[in-house]
Amino acid sequence: MTSTPPRVVIIGSGFAGLGAAIKLRGAGVTRITILERDTSVGGTWRDNHYPGAACDIPAHLYSFSFAPKPDWSSHYPRQPELRAYLEDLTDRFGLRPAIEFGAEVVAATFDAPTATWHVRAADGRSWTAEVVVAALGPLSDPSIPDIPGIDDFDGAQFHSARWDHDADLDGKRIGTIGTGASSIQFVPHLAERATSLTVFQRSAPWIIPRVDRPFTPLEQAAFRWVPGLRRLFRTYLYWQKELRFVGFRKDSPGMALMQVLSRWHLRRSVSDPDLREALRPDHDMGCKRILISSDYWPALDEPHVEVETAPIERLTPTGVRLADGREIELDVLVWGTGFDVRTPLGPLAVTGLDGRRLDEAWDPTPVAHNGITVPGFP
């Protein structure tokens, strides 16, 4: 007696969604529907297309082990190459016919008598499945702080995940708010184009150098044709990153060494001692995300770039007013303030057994067995 493979709905077509679909098909599950709210695949690598957007995990490790790419251009490729990899995966594994584009899922409700999930999109379309995989990812919905006067600013303003490539940046007075993983990538680009650039910093991040270089044609050929070389290199990268966990133990020699590396990187990159002091983190490494960049701190050392650490009081029609009364006049404001990760499923309303909502079950903290499933939500 054979059982019928379950119907599966996957929400999202980024790395998680495509990877789940590929592995499910490999396990014999063929009744798969991928729901994507946009018009193309790619997830965070589709939405984040700001200048300088790149991965901070080496590509040979970041890509799927079951779908290798021997000809990565460099250790840390840029966004267009990562997005192209996902488009290639979609076609290589024949997933495109399974994708419903323009399907913004707003609700998933479990029906106990039939042991199925009913999934509904904003446009009224619906699907029924025994299994729902939420592969939405947290790095797509921008988070912009509630600063007074945000609608008063007369210049151009946009979030890094909604980059306005038509905005005139050359010779402009530009301000950026936020100093996280996105900001350290686009700030050097803005510094090249602006007549003045002001970086509004609430807290200074720990940064270590990005050791990157292009792969040579000979290396790319070796990764393609030498048996086992690509897997060996991936294994090396895996354990190199995995063993870093030792350094996250408080007062460990590894942590001390990483902090020494970061401070050396800061001294080498920034000549102004007052600026170096402003950029020195006031928290232990590991309390927040450790960033990698070799051009962010040098960009801040440029004479036309300023780092402002005074709190922001409000936005005005002409710029930013600080808590100390000063006003910084701007033509363009770029938000590098990250994403709303407090609600992992965003506006998606998930209802499980006995009408219980997942957002209620996850109050105050999301918890899942093995990071996969939640009691009461079969």
Side-chain angles (χ1 to χ4, degrees), residues 36-122:
E36 170 54 54
R37 67 180 179 180
D38 213 293
T39 58
S40 61
V41 303
T44 190
W45 295 111
R46 176 198 61 230
D47 295 340
N48 290 274
H49 45 78
Y50 56 83
C55 186
D56 58 6
I57 299 294
H60 280 276
L61 181 60
Y62 191 72
S63 51
F64 287 127
S65 60
F66 54 82
K69 174 179 162 62
D71 59 345
W72 287 109
S73 63
S74 66
H75 286 271
Y76 299 98
R78 299 296 178 94
Q79 175 265 345
E81 191 172 0
L82 290 161
R83 183 178 181 184
Y85 172 74
L86 292 172
E87 291 281 2
D88 175 69
L89 282 182
T90 305
D91 294 324
R92 193 192 324 178
F93 289 92
L95 297 178
R96 210 168 290 276
I99 303 176
E100 296 279 353
F101 290 109
E104 182 176 3
V105 177
V106 294
T109 304
F110 186 72
D111 181 60
T114 61
T116 57
W117 285 92
H118 298 292
V119 180
R120 180 170 55 85

Side-chain angles (χ1 to χ4, degrees), residues 291-362:
L291 308 179
I292 62 170
S293 172
S294 293
D295 57 1
Y296 174 70
W297 277 337
L300 300 185
D301 200 39
E302 293 292 327
H304 68 296
V305 179
E306 297 288 336
V307 175
E308 278 292 347
T309 58
I312 294 175
E313 180 182 279
R314 64 175 297 111
L315 299 190
T316 69
T318 58
V320 173
R321 182 180 302 156
L322 302 176
D324 59 14
R326 290 179 295 135
E327 182 163 339
I328 311 298
E329 294 189 349
L330 302 172
D331 303 307
V332 180
L333 181 62
V334 181
W335 299 89
T337 46
F339 304 88
D340 186 359
V341 297
R342 296 167 299 175
T343 53
L345 300 182
L348 172 59
V350 179
T351 306
L353 293 174
D354 302 321
R356 192 182 186 199
R357 287 279 298 266
L358 185 56
D359 54 355
E360 297 171 352
W362 275 355

Side-chain angles (χ1 to χ4, degrees), residues 280-295:
R280 190 184 304 277
D282 60 2
H283 56 276
D284 289 339
M285 180 177 278
C287 292
K288 298 173 67 176
R289 181 175 177 178
I290 300 171
L291 308 179
I292 62 170
S293 172
S294 293
D295 57 1

